[in-house]
Amino acid sequence: MSFGQGGPGWGPGDQQTPDWAALADASAARNRRRKWLFIGGGALATAAVVAVVATVIVTAGSKDDGKSANELPSPPALPSNSAQPGPSFSHVAPPPPPNPYDFVASAKKDTAPLSADTLFPGKSLALGSGSYAKGPTDRVTECSSVTQGSLGSILNNNGCRQVIRATFTKDGVAVTVGVAVFDTDGQATKAKQQANGGIASLSGSGVNTFCRGGSVCRSTTNSYGRYAYFTIGGFANGKNVTKDDSAVFTAGNDLAKFTFDQIVARGRNQASAAAARPAG
C-alpha cells in the first residue's frame, strides 16, 4: 500500500509495521533544517542591527553643516593678563623738605619765640675752651641805644627791629654778644658790610664795667639770615687787650660761633616742625 510520494514507508513484507528507522531519519532532517533556519535568521538580524548602528554612526559623522573642521569655533581665549590690578606707583615726586635757612631769612617765616633766654639758654655755656658763666642780659627795640660809634645809625638805617645782648665771663675775661634783628637777610647783610664802631658792653649782675672809656678791646662782626651779631671782649679789670692775649680772642670766637649755631638751630627746628605738619 502506498500513500504516494513523501508518505511514510512500511517495513519489509508490508505487514503494516512502520519503518521506524526511516521515520527517525526524516525527523532528524527536519530538525537540522529548522536549526539552520534559526541560525541564519539570527545572523541576518544581527547583521541588520550592525548595519543600522553603522549607518547612524556614519550619518552622524558625515553630517554636512556647511563648515570644515578648520572653520569650527576655537575655544575662548583666556586673558593674557591677570584680572587683579597690579601695584600702582605715583610718578609725582614728594616735595623737597623745607630749607632751614628760609626760616631765619625772613620775619614772615621766623615766628618762633625770640628772647635772650632762647638765644642764650641756661646759666652757663660749656664751649670748646671751657665753661663760661652767663651774666646780665637785655633786649631793646631802640637799636642805636646799645651801640658805640657809628654802628647805631647803621643799624637804624637798615631797619633794625631789636638788639638782644648777653655777657659771659671766664677767668677774668668778659665778652658781650649783641644780636641785631632785621626783617630780611638782605638788611642784616648790609648792616654787617657797613658796620663801624661796635656793640656796647653790658655790665651788671656781678660783672664790672669793661671795654668803656677808651680801653682797647677786641670786637667781631658777622651775620646769618636776618640776624647780624657782634661781640666785644676784654678784661674784666679794664686792662687793654693786645694781640698776644689769646684768651680774649678765643673767648670772642667761641661765643660768636655759639651764636651762629643757635641761629642755625633756630632755622632747623622751625623747618622740622613745618615738615611734620599735615599738608593742606
Side-chain angles (χ1 to χ4, degrees):
M1 178 178 177
S2 174
F3 289 98
Q5 185 178 2
W10 299 98
D14 192 21
Q15 297 177 356
Q16 302 296 318
T17 300
D19 188 349
W20 298 112
L23 292 173
D25 290 339
S27 176
R30 287 194 299 272
N31 289 335
R32 283 195 299 273
R33 286 195 300 271
R34 194 179 298 114
K35 179 178 180 181
W36 283 110
L37 286 172
F38 177 78
I39 294 173
L44 289 174
T46 302
V49 171
V50 171
V52 171
V53 173
T55 300
V56 172
I57 294 174
V58 171
T59 302
S62 63
K63 182 179 179 181
D64 185 7
D65 57 2
K67 295 182 180 180
S68 66
N70 292 333
E71 295 176 327
L72 293 177
S74 60
L78 294 175
S80 58
N81 297 325
S82 172
Q84 295 296 327
S88 60
F89 301 94
S90 174
H91 296 289
V92 179
N99 184 353
Y101 182 81
D102 293 342
F103 289 86
V104 292
S106 171
K108 292 181 179 179
K109 279 194 170 184
D110 190 11
T111 58
L114 178 62
S115 67
D117 288 335
T118 62
L119 285 176
F120 309 106
K123 295 182 178 181
S124 64
L125 296 178
L127 303 180
S129 60
S131 179
Y132 292 83
K134 186 169 77 171
T137 63
D138 70 355
R139 171 184 174 274
V140 298
T141 55
E142 181 55 50
C143 298
S144 61
S145 66
V146 292
T147 63
Q148 299 183 87
S150 60
L151 181 61
S153 62
I154 293 171
L155 295 183
N156 288 340
N157 291 339
N158 284 289
C160 178
R161 297 294 185 181
Q162 59 178 313
V163 174
I164 297 172
R165 293 188 299 170
T167 295
F168 297 88
T169 60
K170 174 181 176 292
D171 299 332
V173 174
V175 178
T176 294
V177 182
V179 180
V181 185
F182 300 84
D183 287 340
T184 67
D185 57 349
Q187 293 171 320
T189 299
K190 286 183 66 176
K192 177 191 72 172
Q193 294 170 343
Q194 298 170 3
N196 191 17
I199 199 77
S201 63
L202 176 63
S203 58
S205 302
V207 178
N208 297 326
T209 301
F210 67 100
C211 294
R212 296 290 184 95
S215 61
V216 178
C217 291
R218 193 250 181 162
S219 63
T220 67
T221 301
N222 215 326
S223 70
Y224 185 79
R226 68 187 188 110
Y227 301 90
Y229 53 98
F230 311 88
T231 68
I232 182 73
F235 292 103
N237 61 7
K239 186 179 72 168
N240 290 335
V241 175
T242 69
K243 63 180 181 179
D244 295 327
D245 292 323
S246 59
V248 176
F249 285 81
T250 298
N253 293 341
D254 282 349
L255 290 165
K257 184 179 184 304
F258 175 79
T259 304
F260 168 79
D261 291 341
Q262 287 294 95
I263 299 170
V264 170
R266 178 179 176 84
R268 186 182 300 117
N269 292 339
Q270 292 183 90
S272 297
R277 286 194 291 266

Coordinates of all heavy atoms in Angstrom, one line a residue, residues 129-184:
S129 N 86.7 126.0 74.8 CA 87.8 126.4 75.6 C 87.4 126.3 77.1 O 88.3 126.7 77.9 CB 88.2 127.8 75.3 OG 87.1 128.7 75.5
G130 N 86.2 125.9 77.4 CA 85.9 125.8 78.8 C 84.5 126.3 79.1 O 83.7 126.5 78.2
S131 N 84.1 126.5 80.4 CA 82.8 126.9 80.8 C 82.8 128.4 81.0 O 83.6 129.0 81.7 CB 82.4 126.1 82.1 OG 81.1 126.5 82.5
Y132 N 81.7 129.0 80.4 CA 81.5 130.5 80.6 C 80.3 130.7 81.4 O 79.2 130.1 81.2 CB 81.3 131.1 79.2 CG 82.6 131.1 78.3 CD1 82.9 130.0 77.6 CD2 83.4 132.2 78.3 CE1 84.0 130.0 76.8 CE2 84.5 132.2 77.5 CZ 84.9 131.1 76.8 OH 86.0 131.1 76.0
A133 N 80.4 131.5 82.4 CA 79.3 131.9 83.2 C 78.5 133.0 82.5 O 79.0 134.0 82.0 CB 79.7 132.4 84.6
K134 N 77.1 132.8 82.5 CA 76.3 133.9 81.9 C 76.0 135.0 83.0 O 75.5 134.7 84.1 CB 75.0 133.2 81.4 CG 74.2 134.3 80.6 CD 73.0 133.6 79.9 CE 71.9 133.3 80.9 NZ 70.7 132.8 80.1
G135 N 76.3 136.2 82.5 CA 76.0 137.3 83.4 C 74.7 138.0 83.0 O 73.7 137.4 82.7
P136 N 74.7 139.3 82.9 CA 73.4 140.1 82.6 C 73.0 139.9 81.1 O 73.8 139.6 80.2 CB 73.8 141.5 82.9 CG 75.3 141.6 82.7 CD 75.8 140.2 83.1
T137 N 71.7 140.1 80.9 CA 71.1 140.0 79.6 C 70.1 141.2 79.4 O 69.6 141.7 80.5 CB 70.4 138.7 79.3 OG1 69.3 138.6 80.1 CG2 71.3 137.5 79.4
D138 N 69.9 141.6 78.2 CA 68.8 142.6 78.0 C 68.3 142.6 76.5 O 68.9 141.9 75.7 CB 69.3 144.1 78.4 CG 70.3 144.6 77.4 OD1 70.8 143.9 76.5 OD2 70.7 145.8 77.6
R139 N 67.3 143.3 76.3 CA 66.7 143.4 75.0 C 66.1 144.8 74.8 O 65.3 145.3 75.7 CB 65.5 142.3 74.8 CG 64.7 142.5 73.6 CD 63.6 141.4 73.6 NE 62.7 141.6 72.4 CZ 61.7 142.5 72.5 NH1 61.4 143.2 73.5 NH2 60.9 142.6 71.4
V140 N 66.5 145.5 73.7 CA 66.0 146.8 73.4 C 65.5 146.9 72.0 O 65.9 146.1 71.1 CB 67.1 147.9 73.6 CG1 67.6 147.9 75.1 CG2 68.3 147.6 72.7
T141 N 64.5 147.8 71.8 CA 64.0 148.0 70.4 C 64.6 149.2 69.8 O 64.5 149.4 68.6 CB 62.4 148.1 70.5 OG1 62.1 149.2 71.4 CG2 61.8 146.8 70.9
E142 N 65.2 150.1 70.6 CA 66.0 151.2 70.1 C 67.4 150.8 69.9 O 68.3 150.8 70.8 CB 65.9 152.4 71.0 CG 66.6 153.7 70.6 CD 66.2 154.1 69.2 OE1 64.9 154.3 69.0 OE2 67.0 154.4 68.4
C143 N 67.7 150.3 68.7 CA 68.9 149.6 68.4 C 70.2 150.5 68.7 O 71.2 150.0 69.2 CB 68.9 149.1 67.0 SG 67.6 147.9 66.6
S144 N 70.1 151.7 68.3 CA 71.3 152.6 68.5 C 71.6 152.8 69.9 O 72.8 153.3 70.2 CB 71.0 153.9 67.8 OG 69.9 154.6 68.3
S145 N 70.7 152.5 70.9 CA 71.0 152.8 72.3 C 72.0 151.9 72.9 O 72.5 152.1 74.0 CB 69.7 152.8 73.1 OG 69.1 151.5 73.1
V146 N 72.3 150.8 72.2 CA 73.2 149.8 72.8 C 74.5 149.6 71.9 O 75.0 148.5 71.8 CB 72.5 148.5 73.1 CG1 71.5 148.6 74.2 CG2 71.9 147.9 71.8
T147 N 74.9 150.7 71.2 CA 76.0 150.6 70.3 C 77.0 151.7 70.7 O 76.8 152.6 71.5 CB 75.5 150.8 68.9 OG1 75.0 152.1 68.7 CG2 74.5 149.8 68.5
Q148 N 78.2 151.6 70.1 CA 79.3 152.6 70.2 C 79.7 153.0 68.8 O 79.6 152.2 67.8 CB 80.5 152.0 70.9 CG 80.2 151.5 72.3 CD 81.4 151.1 73.0 OE1 82.2 151.9 73.6 NE2 81.7 149.8 73.0
G149 N 80.1 154.2 68.6 CA 80.5 154.8 67.4 C 79.3 154.9 66.4 O 78.2 155.1 66.8
S150 N 79.5 154.7 65.1 CA 78.5 154.8 64.1 C 77.6 153.6 63.9 O 76.8 153.6 63.0 CB 79.2 155.2 62.8 OG 80.1 154.3 62.3
L151 N 77.9 152.6 64.7 CA 77.1 151.3 64.4 C 75.6 151.6 64.6 O 74.7 151.0 63.9 CB 77.6 150.2 65.3 CG 76.8 148.9 65.1 CD1 77.0 148.3 63.7 CD2 77.3 147.8 66.2
G152 N 75.2 152.4 65.6 CA 73.8 152.7 65.9 C 73.1 153.2 64.7 O 72.0 152.7 64.4
S153 N 73.6 154.2 64.0 CA 72.9 154.7 62.8 C 72.9 153.7 61.7 O 71.9 153.7 60.9 CB 73.6 156.0 62.4 OG 75.0 155.8 62.0
I154 N 73.9 152.9 61.6 CA 73.9 151.9 60.5 C 72.8 150.9 60.8 O 72.1 150.5 59.8 CB 75.3 151.2 60.5 CG1 76.3 152.2 60.0 CG2 75.2 149.9 59.5 CD1 77.8 151.6 60.1
L155 N 72.7 150.5 62.0 CA 71.6 149.5 62.3 C 70.2 150.1 62.0 O 69.3 149.5 61.4 CB 71.7 149.1 63.8 CG 72.9 148.3 64.2 CD1 72.8 147.9 65.7 CD2 73.2 147.1 63.3
N156 N 70.0 151.4 62.5 CA 68.7 152.0 62.2 C 68.4 152.2 60.8 O 67.3 152.0 60.3 CB 68.7 153.4 63.0 CG 68.6 153.2 64.5 OD1 68.2 152.2 65.0 ND2 69.0 154.3 65.2
N157 N 69.4 152.6 60.0 CA 69.2 152.8 58.6 C 68.9 151.6 57.8 O 68.2 151.6 56.7 CB 70.5 153.5 58.0 CG 70.7 154.9 58.5 OD1 69.8 155.6 58.9 ND2 71.9 155.4 58.3
N158 N 69.2 150.5 58.3 CA 68.9 149.2 57.6 C 67.7 148.5 58.2 O 67.4 147.3 57.9 CB 70.2 148.3 57.7 CG 71.2 148.7 56.7 OD1 71.1 148.5 55.5 ND2 72.3 149.2 57.3
G159 N 67.0 149.2 59.1 CA 65.7 148.6 59.6 C 65.8 147.7 60.8 O 65.0 146.8 60.9
C160 N 66.8 147.9 61.6 CA 67.0 147.1 62.8 C 65.7 147.1 63.7 O 65.2 148.2 64.0 CB 68.2 147.5 63.6 SG 68.4 146.6 65.2
R161 N 65.2 146.0 64.1 CA 64.0 145.9 64.9 C 64.3 145.8 66.4 O 63.5 146.4 67.2 CB 63.2 144.7 64.5 CG 62.6 144.7 63.1 CD 61.6 145.8 62.9 NE 61.0 145.9 61.6 CZ 60.1 146.7 61.2 NH1 59.7 147.7 62.0 NH2 59.6 146.7 60.0
Q162 N 65.3 145.1 66.8 CA 65.7 145.0 68.2 C 67.1 144.5 68.3 O 67.7 143.9 67.3 CB 64.7 144.0 68.9 CG 64.7 142.6 68.3 CD 63.8 141.7 69.0 OE1 63.8 141.6 70.3 NE2 62.9 141.0 68.3
V163 N 67.7 144.6 69.5 CA 69.0 144.1 69.8 C 68.9 143.3 71.1 O 68.4 143.8 72.1 CB 70.1 145.2 69.9 CG1 71.4 144.6 70.4 CG2 70.3 145.9 68.6
I164 N 69.4 142.1 71.1 CA 69.4 141.2 72.3 C 70.9 141.1 72.7 O 71.7 140.7 71.9 CB 68.8 139.9 72.0 CG1 67.3 140.1 71.6 CG2 68.9 139.0 73.2 CD1 66.6 138.8 71.1
R165 N 71.2 141.3 74.0 CA 72.6 141.2 74.5 C 72.7 140.2 75.6 O 71.7 140.0 76.4 CB 73.1 142.6 74.9 CG 73.2 143.6 73.8 CD 73.9 144.8 74.3 NE 73.2 145.5 75.4 CZ 73.7 146.5 76.1 NH1 74.9 147.0 75.9 NH2 72.9 147.1 77.0
A166 N 73.9 139.7 75.8 CA 74.2 138.8 76.9 C 75.7 138.9 77.1 O 76.5 138.9 76.2 CB 73.8 137.4 76.7
T167 N 76.1 138.9 78.4 CA 77.5 138.9 78.8 C 78.0 137.6 79.4 O 77.2 137.1 80.3 CB 77.8 140.1 79.7 OG1 77.6 141.3 79.0 CG2 79.3 140.1 80.1
F168 N 79.2 137.1 79.0 CA 79.7 135.9 79.6 C 81.1 136.2 80.1 O 81.9 137.0 79.5 CB 79.8 134.8 78.5 CG 78.4 134.4 78.0 CD1 77.8 135.1 77.0 CD2 77.7 133.4 78.6 CE1 76.6 134.7 76.5 CE2 76.4 133.0 78.2 CZ 75.9 133.7 77.1
T169 N 81.5 135.5 81.2 CA 82.8 135.7 81.8 C 83.5 134.3 82.0 O 82.9 133.3 82.2 CB 82.7 136.4 83.1 OG1 81.9 135.7 84.0 CG2 82.1 137.8 82.9
K170 N 84.8 134.4 81.9 CA 85.7 133.2 82.2 C 87.1 133.6 82.5 O 87.7 134.3 81.6 CB 85.6 132.3 80.9 CG 86.5 131.0 81.1 CD 86.5 130.2 79.8 CE 87.4 129.0 79.9 NZ 88.9 129.5 79.8
D171 N 87.6 133.3 83.6 CA 89.0 133.6 84.0 C 89.4 135.0 83.8 O 90.5 135.3 83.2 CB 89.9 132.6 83.3 CG 89.6 131.2 83.5 OD1 89.1 130.9 84.6 OD2 89.9 130.3 82.6
G172 N 88.5 136.0 84.2 CA 88.9 137.4 84.1 C 88.6 138.0 82.8 O 88.9 139.2 82.6
V173 N 88.1 137.2 81.8 CA 87.8 137.8 80.5 C 86.3 137.9 80.4 O 85.5 137.0 80.8 CB 88.3 136.8 79.4 CG1 87.8 137.3 78.0 CG2 89.8 136.7 79.4
A174 N 85.8 139.0 79.9 CA 84.4 139.3 79.7 C 84.1 139.6 78.3 O 84.8 140.3 77.6 CB 83.9 140.4 80.6
V175 N 83.0 139.0 77.8 CA 82.6 139.2 76.4 C 81.1 139.4 76.4 O 80.3 138.7 77.0 CB 82.9 138.0 75.5 CG1 82.4 138.2 74.1 CG2 84.4 137.6 75.5
T176 N 80.7 140.5 75.7 CA 79.3 140.8 75.4 C 78.9 140.4 74.0 O 79.7 140.8 73.1 CB 78.9 142.2 75.7 OG1 79.1 142.5 77.1 CG2 77.5 142.6 75.3
V177 N 77.8 139.7 73.8 CA 77.3 139.3 72.5 C 76.1 140.2 72.2 O 75.2 140.2 73.1 CB 77.0 137.8 72.3 CG1 76.5 137.5 70.9 CG2 78.2 137.0 72.7
G178 N 76.0 140.8 71.1 CA 74.8 141.6 70.7 C 74.3 141.1 69.4 O 75.0 141.0 68.4
V179 N 73.0 140.7 69.4 CA 72.3 140.2 68.2 C 71.3 141.2 67.7 O 70.3 141.5 68.4 CB 71.6 138.8 68.4 CG1 71.0 138.3 67.1 CG2 72.7 137.8 69.0
A180 N 71.5 141.8 66.5 CA 70.6 142.8 65.9 C 69.7 142.0 65.0 O 70.1 141.2 64.1 CB 71.4 143.9 65.2
V181 N 68.4 142.3 65.1 CA 67.4 141.5 64.4 C 66.7 142.4 63.3 O 66.2 143.5 63.6 CB 66.3 141.0 65.3 CG1 65.3 140.1 64.6 CG2 66.9 140.2 66.5
F182 N 66.6 141.9 62.1 CA 66.0 142.7 61.0 C 64.9 141.9 60.4 O 64.6 140.7 60.8 CB 67.1 142.9 59.9 CG 68.3 143.7 60.4 CD1 69.3 143.1 61.0 CD2 68.3 145.1 60.2 CE1 70.4 143.8 61.4 CE2 69.4 145.8 60.6 CZ 70.5 145.2 61.3
D183 N 64.2 142.5 59.4 CA 63.1 141.7 58.8 C 63.6 140.8 57.7 O 62.9 139.7 57.5 CB 62.1 142.7 58.1 CG 61.3 143.5 59.1 OD1 61.2 143.0 60.3 OD2 60.7 144.6 58.8
T184 N 64.7 141.1 57.1 CA 65.2 140.2 56.0 C 66.7 140.0 56.1 O 67.4 140.7 56.8 CB 64.9 140.8 54.6 OG1 65.7 142.0 54.5 CG2 63.4 141.2 54.4

